[in-house]
Amino acid sequence: MSVTEDDVRRIARLARIAEPKDRVAKLTGELNGILAWVEMLNEVDVDGVEPMTTPVSTPLPMREDAVTDGEIPEKVLKNAPKAEEGFFVVPKSVE
């Protein structure tokens, strides 16, 4: 797979990135280099290798799944522009 200068211009437009015309050729080369490196990874033999999310198998700490108010509503509402009866007051958005 390779990227053309037209592809780079289209990607930049879609991402709303103003890329100068003199950088398009350089970006094309850089993106093609990245894609070539990714294609090299396809050559690695991964038969028998289990997928993993981290190199260290550490169980995540669990806590009780309980609903609380954080026990600090005054501190939380202190920064609110407007609050009433322990709740944030926001402008009406739907009629």
Side-chain angles (χ1 to χ4, degrees):
M1 170 182 265
S2 66
V3 177
T4 66
E5 289 187 10
D6 288 336
D7 294 331
V8 171
R9 282 191 285 275
R10 182 170 183 266
I11 292 167
R13 184 181 53 81
L14 290 172
R16 291 181 165 68
I17 299 172
E19 207 50 62
K21 292 181 181 183
D22 59 330
R23 286 229 342 119
V24 171
K26 183 177 179 186
L27 279 174
T28 302
E30 289 176 2
L31 288 173
N32 282 324
I34 292 168
L35 291 174
W37 181 78
V38 171
E39 286 178 5
M40 282 182 10
L41 291 176
N42 288 330
E43 298 173 9
V44 176
D45 180 22
V46 292
D47 290 337
V49 177
E50 292 292 321
M52 61 183 187
T53 57
T54 178
V56 179
S57 178
T58 305
L60 295 175
M62 301 296 282
R63 63 173 171 76
E64 183 181 337
D65 189 15
V67 177
T68 67
D69 64 357
E71 301 174 4
I72 55 168
E74 296 82 21
K75 287 183 179 180
V76 172
L77 293 173
K78 182 178 172 184
N79 293 322
K82 189 173 181 184
E84 286 180 12
E85 299 178 16
F87 296 97
F88 289 98
V89 176
V90 296
K92 188 175 183 179
S93 60
V94 178
E95 292 294 326

